[in-house]
Amino acid sequence: MTESNYFAQVLKPGRYLGSEYNAVQKEWQQAEVRCAVVFPDLYEIGMSHQGLQILYHIFNAQDKFLAERCYSPDKDVEKLLRNRNLPLTSLESGTPLGNFDLLAITLPYELCYTNILTVLDLAGIPIYAKDRQETYPIVLGGGACAMNPEPVADYFDAVLLGDGEEAITEIGLLIQSAKADGLSKIDVLAQLAKIEGVYVPSFFSPEYDENGKVRQIVAHTGQNEVNRRVLSDLGAVDHLLHPIVPNAKIVHDRLGVEIARGCTRGCRFCQAGVTYRPVRERTPEQIMALAEKGIANSGFEEMALLSLSTGDYSCLGEVLPKLMDRFADEYVSVAMPSMRVGTLTPEIMDQIKRVRKTGFTLAPEAGSERLRRVINKGITEEDLLEASRMAFGLGWKVMKFYFMIGLPTESQEDIDAIIELVKKSGYEISKVAKGRKQINVSIGTFVPKPHTPFQWNRQLTIEESRDRITYLRQNLPRKGCKMKWHSPEQSFLEGIFSRGDRRLSALIHAAWQAGARLDGWSDHFNLERWRKAADEIGLDLDFYLREREFDEVLPWSHLQTGIDLQFLKDEWNNAREEIYTPDCRYHGCQQCGLCDFDLVQPIVHSEVEPGSQKTDGTFIPGEHQDKRNNAAHDEQHFKYIVHYSRIGNICFLGHLELLQLIFRGLRRAEIETNFSKGYNPSPKISFGPALPVGTQSNAEYFLMDLPKPLASPQDAAALLSSKLPPGLEVNSITLHSGKLPQVVEVNYSIEFPKPLSESQVALLESFLASDELVISRERKGKKRQFNIRPLITSLVTETDNLLTMQVISKAGSPGIKPADALQHILGLDQETTLELAITKNSWQGLDEE
């Protein structure tokens, strides 16, 4: 979608605008290989996914390659595209997806599978790989769910298993060569299958026995198995230095810094702990470079240190103080969203709170010591209680605990232990914290995952999950505790896809045809639709949640993570015996079978296990001193008014989204502002009245409060303008008193999609000749009458479809938007009103003091 009249009709146009800061724009005709990287969920989810950005920048770094992005549209945009017979296009250039050579579709989680069909169908690409001829793009899958892609395997030409940093370039080079040589599609697939980690589903066929179990997986080539691709070293950082900065609000709106990949703690339920082995840490120097360049090139006000378990990064005690010393004065906070109980120390907490208290989630997973031994969690009840005491003692008011229900061997005593553990935590917190405090308890149903020691276990039924959730709701403390839970119905479907086979492709297709969309969103999810689809094709959904036998051929048996099957079986036996398996990073190789200790091996930069001993004195809580806390620093106030324009599709962003763009642009331009005080400090910037979504403007402004004067306001204006996304342009920056007039006149031009009729011209003349036009407004359930006539001082017909309007704006008083005014004056319907092209041209009185 590139036409502005489409954006006016959709719910969140910011998802579809493109033109974000650091997005790559390359010449289509100059590229020899064109790839669309696709995330099959909404923009705000997909833009939070670092893997897609990594592949995007790596591919675009090649001279003859081009990569553009696409995200799954929401239902309103899907309807609009279908009604107008328009194809789904890329964000960067608005090119139909069918014109690309390669579609690289991420498989991030199971409940996005119907979105893949939506993307393919809207792109005009046949859903099943067998139906796609030579003229269609190669459809490639990859990501977290790629280690069992069988439920969607029939839709893909190829699937990349494992790390993609090196493989994506090899795939691009192969396609480049194949295009030059004129290879057929089958020849291209044969060549792709030779790349390490690439799985071509059509080269394998599952066969089933009379009970519906997989009897064997037949390989049609000499390759019986496909091995996961493993990146030996995370040392390369060039592709991570210019992160795309979203225009619209996204789920994780911050700079992600991957400090390590892989985890060898060995939690027996955790698929990522298997499929991302071995542990590969970045050096402290690499992390500092990623943070320095990433913040400078993005303007984010928060960075997150990313890893499966951030607290297990061996050099965290060295890196975190350096990051905080570097960024605290710039009000850039550090979040660590994945902290293992036992690695959360007072020193870490004390560092984090220097800017703002970012959230913590502690995941004991199970309530009892016994069950935590079964799952190899390796933490004690006292570890959790101590973490709670520390956090609340240092000023935190809210902490999240995550538990699973339905873990193997779970009993009623284990469910009761969750309740008791929360109660004990609440009691311990009350001894160290005053005032409001809360524990948010999150409950999820255990879903057995492929390639884990628990891959053979059964999953709870929906009814069993509901019963346990209800029991917890009724018995967890009412005061100071809030419980949330993942839908048992969604967990049920996730479990089906998690350990499913190729027969599920027919189910996904049938449910999609019946209207299944965006199943990861609870407000869209409808299990009954899936049950009906299963009945139509004769599929028993409960079959996929059953217990599996050790000797059973699993649907993913031909896809290898590098971990020995016998190791997984031994781990399941260790679970039954409650035997702990140590972390190989610090306690020797546990013989999982992955590492060759040549190219593939753990990369850890400290021999000391985090949390195993007290701080060595590198930093001491409370001793750091931030310049921003110096009162003299805050006494300097230099106020400037910034005049800027907002032209083009960027006008479809909301007011809060625009504010965020300005804040980040100022940070990129290194214009330092004063900040507010309190829990969540923000720049001292005052914006003009919110502009209606869809209205362009040549006359926007904001006031900024700086701690020191600008050396050259003219140069600062040019620099800031260069650091803003396309469509935002700074016209001037000048000193200002900071005082704004209470009444100003605003001039607008309004272009109609077609010439005004005689009756409409008559209505305009009647309005101008009258003293009032009373409209009704409803606010907080109350209707009020409002005369808009005195606010419109001028209304001139410039051409047969162009008006200019002068509107009075009074601070603290009701105002009128030009579109609303014309809707009432001319009796326009909603569709015509949305088609008006409105531009704010100028203010009168703004710079008067």
Side-chain angles (χ1 to χ4, degrees):
M1 293 189 354
T2 55
E3 297 294 329
S4 61
N5 60 332
Y6 301 154
F7 296 134
Q9 300 176 47
V10 303
L11 181 62
K12 293 185 178 180
R15 293 167 170 164
Y16 313 102
L17 299 182
S19 299
E20 303 98 326
Y21 194 81
N22 286 334
V24 179
Q25 299 283 348
K26 300 184 78 171
E27 287 294 330
W28 179 271
Q29 297 299 330
Q30 300 300 316
E32 295 180 6
V33 182
R34 302 160 182 126
C35 172
V37 289
V38 180
F39 193 91
D41 209 325
L42 300 179
Y43 176 91
E44 52 263 44
I45 303 295
M47 272 294 289
S48 302
H49 188 265
Q50 193 174 42
L52 184 141
Q53 286 213 35
I54 289 173
L55 299 184
Y56 173 85
H57 284 296
I58 288 176
F59 209 84
N60 276 318
Q62 302 293 319
D63 287 341
K64 297 298 183 179
F65 292 2
L66 171 151
E68 298 184 354
R69 293 165 297 134
C70 180
Y71 304 93
S72 181
D74 206 345
K75 295 172 75 172
D76 61 336
V77 170
E78 180 186 352
K79 181 179 178 181
L80 183 150
L81 293 175
R82 294 192 187 282
N83 288 344
R84 303 196 181 193
N85 197 28
L86 296 170
L88 186 62
T89 63
S90 64
L91 276 186
E92 279 74 6
S93 66
T95 301
L97 296 191
N99 293 0
F100 287 83
D101 302 305
L102 176 68
L103 257 60
I105 302 178
T106 303
L107 302 174
Y109 30 77
E110 292 86 353
L111 295 187
C112 74
Y113 287 165
T114 53
N115 304 338
I116 297 169
L117 275 60
T118 300
V119 168
L120 291 174
D121 189 61
L122 287 175
I125 298 171
I127 286 171
Y128 286 95
K130 62 182 177 59
D131 299 327
R132 294 196 285 268
Q133 304 305 316
E134 308 286 338
T135 56
Y136 292 105
I138 295 292
V139 179
L140 173 74
C145 290
M147 290 312 301
N148 180 28
E150 292 305 285
V152 292
D154 286 341
Y155 310 142
F156 285 92
D157 297 307
V159 179
L160 174 62
L161 313 182
D163 298 325
E165 283 91 337
E166 296 171 338
I168 192 65
T169 301
E170 294 173 18
I171 292 168
L173 290 170
L174 189 152
I175 291 176
Q176 182 183 34
S177 176
K179 288 178 66 178
D181 296 341
L183 294 185
S184 66
K185 181 175 181 178
I186 188 64
D187 289 336
V188 172
L189 295 182
Q191 293 297 316
L192 282 171
K194 296 178 182 179
I195 295 177
E196 183 182 2
V198 175
Y199 166 48
V200 178
S202 61
F203 291 176
F204 296 82
S205 297
E207 295 181 353
Y208 305 92
D209 64 19
E210 63 279 4
N211 297 315
K213 298 178 181 179
V214 178
R215 181 171 61 241
Q216 64 174 338
I217 298 170
V218 179
H220 302 304
T221 64
Q223 184 182 19
N224 295 319
E225 296 178 339
V226 181
N227 296 313
R228 172 174 69 99
R229 186 69 176 261
V230 179
L231 181 68
S232 61
D233 189 358
L234 296 184
V237 298
D238 291 352
H239 54 280
L240 299 168
L241 300 180
H242 294 84
I244 304 172
V245 184
N247 286 335
K249 181 68 175 176
I250 65 174
V251 172
H252 299 305
D253 203 357
R254 60 198 182 192
L255 174 69
V257 177
E258 187 184 25
I259 62 175
R261 189 175 300 178
C263 176
T264 45
R265 285 289 179 179
C267 297
R268 293 171 178 134
F269 58 83
C270 181
Q271 185 183 49
V274 172
T275 59
Y276 288 101
R277 290 189 179 205
V279 172
R280 290 147 290 167
E281 294 186 346
R282 283 199 165 93
T283 66
E285 292 75 20
Q286 290 168 346
I287 292 169
M288 290 301 298
L290 284 169
E292 287 269 7
K293 296 292 186 181
I295 291 296
N297 293 330
S298 69
F300 285 115
E301 59 285 332
E302 178 177 299
M303 74 178 76
L305 304 184
L306 303 180
S307 171
L308 289 174
S309 180
T310 303
D312 283 324
Y313 175 64
S314 66
C315 300
L316 188 61
E318 173 187 349
V319 167
L320 184 58
K322 289 182 178 179
L323 287 172
M324 296 308 302
D325 288 344
R326 169 63 185 84
F327 292 106
D329 291 335
E330 297 177 11
Y331 291 87
V332 175
S333 60
V334 177
M336 293 187 290
S338 179
M339 289 297 293
R340 182 178 176 274
V341 176
T343 61
L344 192 57
T345 66
E347 294 83 8
I348 288 174
M349 293 182 184
D350 189 64
Q351 288 291 322
I352 290 173
K353 73 174 187 177
R354 287 169 64 179
V355 175
R356 53 181 70 90
K357 295 184 180 72
T358 53
F360 283 121
T361 296
L362 299 180
E365 317 288 357
S368 69
E369 298 276 14
R370 183 201 70 81
L371 191 52
R372 286 195 291 274
R373 290 194 296 271
V374 168
I375 65 177
N376 206 53
K377 190 63 183 176
I379 62 170
T380 66
E381 179 179 288
E382 180 53 33
D383 290 330
L384 182 71
L385 297 178
E386 178 61 21
S388 301
R389 286 191 292 264
M390 288 188 300
F392 284 89
L394 286 168
W396 266 261
K397 300 298 182 183
V398 181
M399 182 168 281
K400 180 179 176 181
F401 292 171
Y402 177 74
F403 296 95
M404 281 190 283
I405 55 174
L407 288 163
T409 78
E410 183 182 73
S411 66
Q412 182 60 42
E413 287 76 15
D414 298 308
I415 299 296
D416 290 334
I418 294 175
I419 299 166
E420 291 305 311
L421 185 55
V422 173
K423 288 180 178 178
K424 288 180 182 178
S425 298
Y427 175 72
E428 293 297 321
I429 291 168
S430 68
K431 295 193 295 185
V432 297
K434 297 180 180 180
R436 175 184 171 273
K437 45 196 176 293
Q438 181 172 299
I439 297 174
N440 290 334
V441 177
S442 181
I443 305 294
T445 300
F446 164 66
V447 175
K449 295 291 186 178
H451 305 289
T452 69
F454 290 163
Q455 67 180 350
W456 295 281
N457 286 89
R458 83 172 187 95
Q459 181 175 331
L460 294 184
T461 65
I462 292 175
E463 292 71 24
E464 288 172 322
S465 291
R466 283 177 180 161
D467 289 344
R468 297 182 197 194
I469 288 170
T470 299
Y471 182 82
L472 289 168
R473 285 179 60 199
Q474 293 173 344
N475 290 280
L476 279 168
R478 304 285 184 184
K479 185 177 181 181
C481 175
K482 184 177 181 180
M483 176 179 156
K484 295 183 179 179
W485 60 93
H486 188 66
S487 161
E489 289 79 9
Q490 287 179 300
S491 296
F492 172 79
L493 190 62
E494 179 187 345
I496 291 166
F497 292 143
S498 173
R499 296 187 294 168
D501 53 48
R502 281 198 202 181
R503 292 171 294 188
L504 291 176
S505 63
L507 171 70
I508 296 168
H509 192 201
W512 176 80
Q513 288 180 314
R517 301 289 191 278
L518 300 167
D519 293 287
W521 298 77
S522 57
D523 51 343
H524 293 298
F525 181 76
N526 183 340
L527 182 60
E528 188 58 31
R529 184 183 287 126
W530 287 92
R531 291 194 185 278
K532 289 180 179 179
D535 290 342
E536 289 174 5
I537 64 174
L539 204 60
D540 178 13
L541 297 183
D542 294 320
F543 171 81
Y544 292 98
L545 271 60
R546 64 186 169 84
E547 185 175 351
R548 315 292 170 96
E549 299 297 328
F550 266 5
D551 59 355
E552 184 174 335
V553 178
L554 301 172
W556 53 90
S557 294
H558 56 307
L559 308 177
Q560 301 300 312
T561 65
I563 307 300
D564 291 340
L565 185 62
Q566 187 58 49
F567 176 80
L568 299 180
K569 292 178 178 179
D570 291 343
E571 278 297 282
W572 170 223
N573 290 324
N574 286 342
R576 289 192 298 177
E577 299 295 327
E578 301 176 25
I579 297 173
Y580 179 63
T581 301
D583 188 338
C584 68
R585 278 174 286 196
Y586 304 104
H587 302 282
C589 178
Q590 301 300 312
Q591 305 298 317
C592 76
L594 175 65
C595 295
D596 59 14
F597 296 98
D598 180 17
L599 294 177
V600 180
Q601 60 187 323
I603 299 177
V604 181
H605 297 296
S606 172
E607 297 180 358
V608 179
E609 182 175 4
S612 63
Q613 55 181 286
K614 301 297 182 182
T615 179
D616 59 2
T618 303
F619 57 95
I620 301 172
E623 287 199 350
H624 43 255
Q625 179 63 48
D626 301 330
K627 289 184 295 182
R628 62 186 175 85
N629 291 329
N630 187 330
H633 178 72
D634 290 334
E635 286 179 357
Q636 301 296 315
H637 297 277
F638 298 88
K639 297 182 180 181
Y640 291 83
I641 188 167
V642 181
H643 291 278
Y644 68 99
S645 58
R646 177 183 175 183
I647 300 298
N649 288 340
I650 202 140
C651 72
F652 289 97
L653 293 178
H655 185 63
L656 294 179
E657 293 168 331
L658 181 72
L659 267 58
Q660 191 70 275
L661 295 186
I662 297 294
F663 291 161
R664 290 171 178 172
L666 287 166
R667 192 182 295 277
R668 292 191 291 264
E670 299 182 355
I671 297 177
E672 181 184 357
T673 70
N674 285 317
F675 275 74
S676 63
K677 303 298 186 293
Y679 175 77
N680 192 24
S682 59
K684 284 190 173 181
I685 298 177
S686 301
F687 287 84
L691 200 64
V693 172
T695 299
Q696 300 187 91
S697 177
N698 292 304
E700 292 304 284
Y701 75 92
F702 62 86
L703 291 172
M704 56 185 186
D705 184 342
L706 310 185
K708 57 185 178 181
L710 295 171
S712 169
Q714 184 177 356
D715 290 346
L719 179 60
L720 178 57
S721 195
S722 71
K723 298 298 182 180
L724 293 173
L728 293 179
E729 184 174 347
V730 176
N731 302 317
S732 67
I733 299 178
T734 56
L735 277 168
H736 196 273
S737 67
K739 298 178 182 179
L740 293 173
Q742 296 299 299
V743 180
V744 294
E745 282 191 298
V746 190
N747 178 270
Y748 296 92
S749 60
I750 303 102
E751 185 176 357
F752 284 72
K754 57 185 179 180
L756 294 168
S757 66
E758 291 183 5
S759 61
Q760 287 177 323
V761 172
L763 288 171
L764 291 174
E765 292 173 351
S766 176
F767 171 77
L768 291 171
S770 68
D771 294 326
E772 67 175 19
L773 175 58
V774 177
I775 67 172
S776 179
R777 282 183 174 172
E778 185 172 334
R779 185 178 181 184
K780 297 181 179 180
K782 295 182 179 180
K783 287 188 176 182
R784 296 183 179 181
Q785 302 298 309
F786 175 47
N787 182 16
I788 67 171
R789 179 63 187 88
L791 299 182
I792 300 175
T793 59
S794 174
L795 187 55
V796 178
T797 303
E798 304 290 348
T799 67
D800 59 3
N801 71 330
L802 180 66
L803 303 178
T804 55
M805 179 185 292
Q806 197 89 359
V807 180
I808 291 178
S809 175
K810 297 181 180 180
S813 300
I816 187 67
K817 300 174 184 177
D820 292 345
L822 289 172
Q823 187 173 24
H824 286 92
I825 294 169
L826 301 178
L828 303 178
D829 58 34
Q830 185 66 22
E831 184 176 351
T832 303
T833 304
L834 289 174
E835 291 179 347
L836 297 176
I838 302 174
T839 303
K840 181 196 292 185
N841 294 315
S842 62
W843 297 79
Q844 291 183 13
L846 180 62
D847 292 305
E848 297 173 5
E849 298 182 12

